[in-house]
Amino acid sequence: MSIFRTKNLDTMVADSRTPGGLKKVLGPMDLILMGIGAIVGTGIFVLTGTGAVTAGPALTLSFIIAAVACGFAALCYAEFASSVPVAGSIYTYSYVTLGEIVAWMIGWDLLLEYGLATSTVAVGWSGYFQSLLKGIGVVLPEALRAAPGAIPGVNSVFNLPAFLIMMVLTFMLSLGVRESARVNNIMVLIKTGVVLLFIFVGVNYVKPDNWQPFMPFGAGSVMSAAALVFFAFIGFDAVTSAAEEVKNPSKDLPVGIIGSLAVCTVLYVAVAAIMTGIVPFMNFKGVDHPVSLALQYAGQDWVAGFVDLAAILGMSTVILVMAYGQTRILYAMSRDGLLPKKLSTVHPKYGTPYFATWMVGIIFGLIAAVVPLGVLAELVNIGTLAAFSLVSLAVIILRKKRPDLHRAFRCPGVPVVPALAIIFCVALMSFLSATTWIAFGVWLLLGLAVYFGYARQRSLLNKQA
């Protein structure tokens, strides 16, 4: 059947080199900072508190487990990204290995993951920003503080800061990836510096007694926390969606993927250990600013102010990179005929998919403005874990189908390492709630309906059959 046909790998690579496409302007440091920009944000500034309540001081193990799962998947991503330097990330990789129907479904999955990730982080950004405004005596009108029903007792109807930050970052992305990368790099350096400041200051106030008992709720709680804080690592895969805009993708993409993940893992484990060493873990219950709370416990309020600022910058870069990744997936799916052609139109001056960028910004900006945070966050983790499992499977399949393919970076230990990535990801998925699984299933069924009702007939691959 044509829906299982795979696209010719050599043709895809040749298409990515066609003049008039996306501009090749990114180097290895841009990619590492892009990855850090996407990873260090809500996870370290918000989810560490919830994770500590779930796992206790063993939160450090939860971060390591999540990082190991991501690490195996990152090695698989690095092999694909260096071999198939084409926009679209796992969507593109699936197209050349697993067939059009699987590629469409994983692309559909990524649209949900990246889009809701930007909306979720925009809502978190709004909370920190309003807290910062309140500190200088500025309070927004009640109706514009949050989504309807998000804050008990507050009659809000529209989260204005969340919508505005989406519009500002969309404007930046529409002007060009080089310009966006410069701003991202600056913000990443600042927030990384503040995280290091927390580590250097906080380590002096650690009380080892707070680490006892280390695993108060057992091993199951550690895995549950790992499934939760997995959100903290989402983003390194967005680096691969920049493939067509990288100067030397075969060498630079693996460096960007693995480098950014390694840096963030070290930062996360250090922050989790210091936080739970300063504050008894149950005191993080209901706290949405756990890093600041730890510094307040230590009597270092001056550093806490810097952390709040870093949280705002950190979340800004996450939104920027995740929105960037989604527009490039839309670009790739549109170029293949599965979505309207308008979405792969490149602006003649800025060299960006201008229409797709603004469409993503406006839609998910509105979602951030009117949908509560808890509803937004449910599907992000399961979508990412499914994507990581598929890219790992695709590496095994492509090694069999195209052993002759030049791979600038080869994932070690195939098929063992990809298999371990799948096992870790599926294990983490099993700890997610039944509601999350049901909602994810509904989204996938909707994707099938769109594919058979629209995309299949318009697919360029199907027309060539």
Side-chain angles (χ1 to χ4, degrees), residues 155-463:
N155 297 318
S156 294
V157 296
F158 193 84
N159 193 327
L160 182 61
F163 180 76
L164 290 180
I165 188 60
M166 287 291 292
M167 293 304 97
V168 169
L169 296 177
T170 298
F171 175 72
M172 287 172 48
L173 283 173
S174 70
L175 295 183
V177 66
R178 175 73 268 173
E179 291 73 16
S180 301
R182 288 191 184 118
V183 175
N184 176 74
N185 293 352
I186 293 171
M187 290 195 291
V188 167
L189 291 173
I190 293 173
K191 71 177 180 182
T192 303
V194 172
V195 171
L196 292 174
L197 178 63
F198 167 79
I199 292 172
F200 291 135
V201 172
V203 72
N204 298 305
Y205 298 90
V206 167
K207 297 178 180 178
D209 289 347
N210 288 331
W211 289 332
Q212 301 299 326
F214 182 69
M215 196 182 297
F217 308 118
S221 67
V222 175
M223 291 298 295
S224 296
L228 172 69
V229 300
F230 182 83
F231 184 92
F233 290 98
I234 292 175
F236 79 84
D237 54 317
V239 172
T240 63
S241 59
E244 285 185 45
E245 291 154 283
V246 178
K247 297 174 185 176
N248 189 353
S250 63
K251 293 182 179 180
D252 295 347
L253 281 168
V255 172
I257 295 168
I258 298 171
S260 59
L261 182 61
V263 170
C264 292
T265 300
V266 173
L267 292 178
Y268 280 3
V269 171
V271 168
I274 291 171
M275 277 178 44
T276 54
I278 296 175
V279 183
F281 67 90
M282 287 307 298
N283 289 3
F284 288 113
K285 188 173 183 178
V287 174
D288 59 3
H289 55 286
V291 180
S292 295
L293 177 67
L295 289 168
Q296 290 164 6
Y297 258 71
Q300 300 295 315
D301 290 344
W302 68 276
V303 184
F306 282 111
V307 168
D308 289 341
L309 177 61
I312 291 173
L313 292 177
M315 293 182 191
S316 298
T317 61
V318 173
I319 298 169
L320 186 71
V321 178
M322 298 302 282
Y324 167 85
Q326 185 176 47
T327 60
R328 271 46 181 185
I329 291 168
L330 284 170
Y331 172 86
M333 296 176 75
S334 170
R335 188 169 59 183
D336 292 332
L338 299 176
L339 291 174
K341 194 66 178 176
K342 185 72 173 176
L343 295 173
S344 57
T345 302
V346 176
H347 195 282
K349 178 180 178 182
Y350 303 127
T352 61
Y354 199 80
F355 178 80
T357 300
W358 276 105
M359 187 190 77
V360 165
I362 292 172
I363 291 176
F364 289 99
L366 289 172
I367 290 175
V370 300
V371 181
L373 180 64
V375 176
L376 286 172
E378 274 192 350
L379 289 172
V380 179
N381 278 6
I382 194 168
T384 308
L385 287 163
F388 287 3
S389 298
L390 272 177
V391 78
S392 303
L393 176 63
V395 163
I396 298 173
I397 293 175
L398 194 60
R399 284 284 186 98
K400 295 289 186 181
K401 292 179 65 175
R402 289 293 303 272
D404 60 310
L405 180 67
H406 172 69
R407 294 168 170 85
F409 176 88
R410 295 177 66 89
C411 175
V414 175
V416 175
V417 168
L420 287 172
I422 295 171
I423 291 169
F424 269 83
C425 289
V426 172
L428 290 176
M429 290 170 73
S430 70
F431 282 88
L432 296 172
S433 70
T435 302
T436 299
W437 278 94
I438 293 170
F440 185 58
V442 170
W443 177 254
L444 294 183
L445 288 175
L446 179 61
L448 283 173
V450 174
Y451 176 74
F452 286 106
Y454 174 89
R456 184 185 178 193
Q457 291 80 358
R458 292 164 175 78
S459 163
L460 296 182
L461 185 62
N462 195 46
K463 290 178 181 178

